[in-house]
Amino acid sequence: GHNKKGEYKEIPLETTAHFAGIDFEFGEGGIHASWDNRIFEADDEYDIEDIDVTSYYPNLAIQNNFRPQHLGEAFSKVYLNMLSERRKYPKGSPENASYKIVLNGSYGKFGDEYSFLYDPKVMLEICLNGQLLIAMLCERLSFIEGVTIIQANTDGVTIRIPKKNRPQMEKICKKWEQMTSLELEYASYKKMVISNVNNTWLR
């Protein structure tokens, strides 16, 4: 928010919602949810599927024209160009990693009053919309019979799902992609051992 002088004042963005058996924590660092002290395993009947948004915050900014007001359209053009350049290099390469740091690092600079990118409104637009869209994806996936939301984080969700219901998952994810103009990527795991939200072991 802004006060009468037009100066930005910090807004605490922390709240918790209990849903699908776990607490979803919303805050300036993004959304976080996880079971504590649980082991989830894939078997003949169930899959463990990790669903992440590709380059989430940069793509969210680009698709919605979220940009620092004082930099205008030029920022969006440069940001899009950097995202396009990153895609030219394979994941795991130094070039890809470098572009990722610059793209994601810009988000933090929106909240840094000493940065030329400083514009808290953009940071809030990305952060709040980002969390709400992940929460919506989690909600829609939770309606699938037999699904357990294992964890959610800033840019994705992990679920345990009956193999027979994968087509329903794919339909929901496709509809979410069409609505948001964002892209989801998938990874399957055999086992997840969760101590807490910050400590997860994957295989």
Side-chain angles (χ1 to χ4, degrees), residues 106-199:
S106 299
Y107 170 76
K109 296 299 181 183
F110 296 145
D112 179 0
E113 61 183 308
Y114 300 106
S115 170
F116 78 97
L117 294 176
Y118 180 61
D119 188 337
K121 180 175 178 285
V122 179
M123 190 173 189
L124 289 172
E125 285 174 332
I126 294 171
C127 180
L128 291 175
N129 281 286
Q131 293 180 82
L132 291 172
L133 290 177
I134 291 293
M136 182 176 67
L137 180 60
C138 289
E139 180 185 38
R140 292 184 176 189
L141 290 169
S142 75
F143 293 151
I144 300 172
E145 185 179 352
V147 157
T148 301
I149 304 291
I150 297 176
Q151 65 176 14
N153 54 40
T154 304
D155 63 356
V157 56
T158 311
I159 62 173
R160 183 172 180 263
I161 180 169
K163 292 179 187 291
K164 65 180 182 179
N165 292 337
R166 285 186 67 93
Q168 194 177 350
M169 176 197 81
E170 291 164 4
K171 185 177 179 181
I172 286 170
C173 289
K174 182 59 67 178
K175 191 171 183 179
W176 187 91
E177 287 178 317
Q178 291 169 347
M179 186 190 68
T180 62
S181 297
L182 299 167
E183 184 181 342
L184 296 170
E185 50 191 31
Y186 305 85
S188 296
Y189 297 115
K190 293 180 180 178
K191 189 174 188 177
M192 290 189 72
V193 180
I194 302 174
S195 174
N196 54 54
V197 71
N198 295 314
N199 294 284

